[in-house]
Amino acid sequence: MKLRTFLFRIFVGVLMVFIGILSVSHNETFTRILIVVCGLVIVCNCASRLFSGSNYKALFDHSHGAKVLDAVDCILGIVIGIIAVIAPIAWADTIGTIVSYALAVFLFFSAFVAARMYFGLLALNVSSNNLLTEFLIDLLLGIILILSPQALGQTLLTVAGIVLITGGLVTLISTIAIKVREKQTKNSVEELN
């Protein structure tokens, strides 16, 4: 394993454990981080879809409504994403709650658009599983942002935190084990020569 790959996997493992601990602790910081990360992902995704060539040209050629719906989704996403990134800087409980709910409503709208486009492409016999994945992720994040102050939301955050901690620890342990095994193999080969 190359040093860069090793360091990247260690970084990812530590980051997963850190975010998992924040999630389990139900810390207000985690909610802020979640909102900022969602905002950044939404801005990047929407800007990419809006300013690059569309992967859904077949659907857009067939349905002008889908093209307009996608453009509205992208423009709203960029605006709401920027607000989500900026809002935690000037954080107040009211602003944080409003941004959290606005982000959740946008994610539900985005899930609707992804589902509409998925079924539109399916009708044209064009497969696009990434739209189905986008639909599920948008729906799940929207539900978490709506329910996060409530008991179900806290439970979802706890489960997500435990999964992140476990995944991070497995990533760290497996990365270190691979590196140790590589070193042992290298030493064995050198001893044979």
Side-chain angles (χ1 to χ4, degrees):
M1 177 183 318
K2 293 182 180 178
L3 180 62
R4 190 167 61 182
T5 305
F6 174 75
L7 292 175
F8 178 74
R9 289 185 65 166
I10 293 293
F11 172 75
V12 168
V14 169
L15 186 64
M16 287 173 69
V17 170
F18 175 71
I19 292 173
I21 290 169
L22 283 177
S23 176
V24 169
S25 69
H26 305 296
N27 192 328
E28 185 179 314
T29 305
F30 177 75
T31 305
R32 288 182 186 183
I33 290 171
L34 180 63
I35 290 173
V36 169
V37 168
C38 284
L40 286 172
V41 169
I42 288 170
V43 167
C44 292
N45 182 29
C46 290
S48 171
R49 281 182 19 219
L50 190 63
F51 298 116
S52 68
S54 176
N55 296 332
Y56 313 116
K57 186 173 178 1
L59 178 63
F60 293 163
D61 290 343
H62 183 71
S63 171
H64 182 69
K67 185 175 184 175
V68 170
L69 198 59
D70 186 56
V72 168
D73 181 45
C74 289
I75 292 168
L76 281 174
I78 290 170
V79 170
I80 290 175
I82 289 171
I83 291 170
V85 170
I86 294 171
I89 295 169
W91 191 267
D93 288 337
T94 306
I95 293 172
T97 303
I98 290 169
V99 170
S100 179
Y101 287 138
L103 210 58
V105 168
F106 169 75
L107 286 167
F108 290 138
F109 176 72
S110 187
F112 166 76
V113 171
R116 162 71 173 86
M117 290 176 60
Y118 174 77
F119 288 114
L121 286 170
L122 202 59
L124 297 172
N125 293 323
V126 177
S127 69
S128 182
N129 291 335
N130 62 334
L131 283 171
L132 189 58
T133 304
E134 183 180 333
F135 165 76
L136 293 172
I137 290 172
D138 287 348
L139 193 62
L140 179 64
L141 285 174
I143 290 170
I144 287 174
L145 285 172
I146 289 285
L147 298 176
S148 64
Q150 300 169 3
L152 180 59
Q154 297 292 357
T155 303
L156 285 173
L157 287 176
T158 301
V159 170
I162 291 169
V163 168
L164 282 170
I165 291 169
T166 304
L169 290 174
V170 167
T171 301
L172 287 170
I173 292 168
S174 66
T175 301
I176 292 169
I178 290 169
K179 195 66 170 172
V180 168
R181 204 172 306 127
E182 283 179 356
K183 189 168 183 110
Q184 288 174 344
T185 304
K186 184 179 176 184
N187 288 343
S188 297
V189 169
E190 287 177 0
E191 287 176 3
L192 292 174
N193 292 333

